[in-house]
Amino acid sequence: MEAQAPLPLSNDHAIKELAESQAFPSSIPSNYHALRNPDEELRPEDFIDEEIPVIDFSLLIGGTAMERDEVIHHLCMACREWGFFMVVNHEIPKRLTDEMLDAFEKFFNQSAEEKNEYINKNVLNPIRFGTSINNHEDKIRYWRDYLKVVVNPEFHFPAKPFGFRNTLFEYAACTRKMGKELLKAIWESLELKTDDIEVALDIKSCFQSIIGNFYPPCPQPELALGLPPHSDHGLLTILLQNGINGLQVKHNNKWLHIKPLPNSFLVNIGDQMELVSNGRYNSVLHRAEVNGKSTRMSIATIIGPSHEAIVAPPPQLVEHDHHLAFNGMRYKDFLEQQQANPLKGKSILDLLRVRDE
């Protein structure tokens, strides 16, 4: 049998197919050398080893009033000091998380022709498959394939693989319910009335997207990144992993390797929460590393305001803080700008900061 010929490099080829074709068995092209960028090179002293905050979800929704108050206090500290926390005892069955990971793996294992049906340059398209971040625009490319699906306020799903729709529907409903409970608690931690969150963000019509990320083994993981340092555009991101670690979070100007507890979710604050909290709770910078041995998968659920909501700090916070930290912006416009431009730090959120004269 003749050896399989390497695939030619193309913007339309997914990383999975390129890796399996042996297009670069021992080295990767220079446009994947994200870690040779001076801004991304890290030394051992750039890392720390700390325990991230843990939130017991069962006490938040089913504990005594005193236990709930204590969890909200811990949530306040986690949002203020970290922008990131781990959720345990969340009541989402492991059977469902395993099925969701399996469904995304089956999607990525489909033929290129089946997946390429969902390639679309429109950043607001409800189903988008791609590689890197914006594979037709990226100068530095990232070792990642993705499938993004909008599941609320309208539910979308790819036609294949079989069973994907039902699993996605159940998983979206469960993570949305958990996300809304966390949002209510975070709102309380800001000493705001929970009824006001609906007025401010139109949470009943919240935007929710679910993103499957696929990071195959990389021949030179010391040079590549799965995703560069960035913050997420929504209010909250709820992350599930397949047991292969690779998430790094920035804390106090140092990077931290995240090692979640079994059957837990990782949750981070997004740009819209930093905006609506008047800067009290900062969205966290994070990135994805790759490895040379195992395929890493993650599923990110982003919960955001309604597309049409004008997100701005509530007057109560502005009055209490004696300053306005951000100008408001319609969430749909924010999302479109963030998705259409290079993913770099908090570049879109920074445009809304109110500068001191």
Side-chain angles (χ1 to χ4, degrees):
M1 180 181 296
E2 293 184 2
Q4 184 180 11
L7 287 173
L9 289 178
S10 165
N11 284 340
D12 293 326
H13 283 132
I15 280 295
K16 182 177 184 297
E17 278 70 45
L18 288 173
E20 291 175 351
S21 76
Q22 296 295 303
F24 24 80
S26 60
S27 62
I28 59 177
S30 60
N31 59 335
Y32 285 93
H33 290 185
L35 288 174
R36 283 198 170 164
N37 181 340
D39 293 335
E40 306 295 354
E41 285 185 307
L42 297 175
R43 301 158 296 177
E45 57 266 33
D46 294 320
F47 289 88
I48 55 172
D49 186 14
E50 291 188 27
E51 297 292 327
I52 66 172
V54 176
I55 300 299
D56 189 331
F57 190 74
S58 66
L59 297 180
L60 185 64
I61 62 171
T64 65
M66 184 176 295
E67 287 172 330
R68 177 179 168 82
D69 287 345
E70 186 175 354
V71 173
I72 289 176
H73 173 69
H74 288 314
L75 196 54
C76 175
M77 293 183 63
C79 292
R80 187 179 64 243
E81 297 176 9
W82 283 80
F84 187 83
F85 51 91
M86 190 186 317
V87 174
V88 297
N89 299 327
H90 45 72
E91 298 186 342
I92 297 178
K94 188 173 187 303
R95 179 267 312 165
L96 179 58
T97 58
D98 288 346
E99 288 178 1
M100 193 73 267
L101 284 163
D102 183 62
F104 269 105
E105 184 174 16
K106 287 178 179 176
F107 175 87
F108 290 115
N109 283 338
Q110 292 182 117
S111 68
E113 291 75 18
E114 289 172 305
K115 291 182 290 188
N116 289 351
E117 178 184 344
Y118 299 105
I119 291 178
N120 196 301
K121 291 185 179 181
N122 182 354
V123 297
L124 296 182
N125 203 62
I127 306 178
R128 291 178 62 218
F129 168 71
T131 187
S132 189
I133 299 171
N134 188 337
N135 52 314
H136 291 279
E137 303 293 337
D138 294 337
K139 294 181 180 178
I140 296 293
R141 293 169 64 83
Y142 298 95
W143 201 262
R144 167 229 191 194
D145 294 334
Y146 66 83
L147 175 68
K148 298 183 179 183
V149 187
V150 174
V151 294
N152 204 68
E154 293 183 357
F155 179 73
H156 301 271
F157 59 94
K160 296 178 181 178
F162 177 78
F164 193 101
R165 179 197 184 280
N166 292 343
T167 302
L168 183 67
F169 186 85
E170 184 182 2
Y171 185 80
C174 288
T175 51
R176 184 165 62 250
K177 181 180 178 182
M178 180 172 72
K180 286 184 175 182
E181 290 293 341
L182 289 170
L183 285 173
K184 286 197 297 185
I186 292 171
W187 205 253
E188 286 184 51
S189 76
L190 291 166
E191 300 182 341
L192 297 169
K193 295 179 180 179
T194 52
D195 291 344
D196 293 340
I197 192 172
E198 181 58 40
V199 176
L201 302 172
D202 192 9
I203 290 299
K204 286 183 181 177
S205 300
C206 72
F207 172 83
Q208 182 187 11
S209 67
I210 294 182
I211 304 147
N213 298 300
F214 188 94
Y215 307 97
C218 177
Q220 292 181 295
E222 71 279 5
L223 296 179
L225 276 175
L227 280 173
H230 67 283
S231 59
D232 293 336
H233 56 77
L235 292 161
L236 293 177
T237 300
I238 300 168
L239 189 75
L240 171 69
Q241 298 186 129
N242 68 336
I244 306 298
N245 296 327
L247 178 66
Q248 297 176 346
V249 170
K250 201 164 194 179
H251 178 61
N252 291 334
N253 292 317
K254 300 282 187 179
W255 286 99
L256 179 70
H257 294 282
I258 302 300
K259 301 174 183 177
L261 295 171
N263 197 30
S264 66
F265 284 97
L266 300 169
V267 178
N268 65 267
I269 295 298
D271 291 341
Q272 300 306 300
M273 182 58 71
E274 180 168 350
L275 200 165
V276 80
S277 70
N278 205 38
R280 292 189 186 186
Y281 297 162
N282 290 333
S283 57
V284 66
L285 290 177
H286 53 287
R287 67 183 206 168
E289 63 178 347
V290 295
N291 71 80
K293 296 180 179 180
S294 304
T295 293
R296 175 176 178 254
M297 285 183 58
S298 68
I299 301 174
T301 299
I302 296 182
I303 308 288
S306 160
H307 260 183
E308 300 304 319
I310 307 295
V311 183
Q316 308 95 301
L317 292 185
V318 176
E319 182 178 349
H320 183 275
D321 296 344
H322 304 296
H323 79 283
L324 176 68
F326 295 97
N327 293 309
M329 187 176 191
R330 189 174 68 144
Y331 178 49
K332 182 178 180 180
D333 297 334
F334 187 103
L335 174 59
E336 192 165 14
Q337 285 205 42
Q338 195 245 28
Q339 296 288 291
N341 287 282
L343 196 60
K344 184 176 181 181
K346 302 183 182 184
S347 55
I348 306 303
L349 183 64
D350 287 341
L351 296 175
L352 300 178
R353 293 186 192 276
V354 176
R355 309 294 180 184
D356 294 330
E357 297 294 336

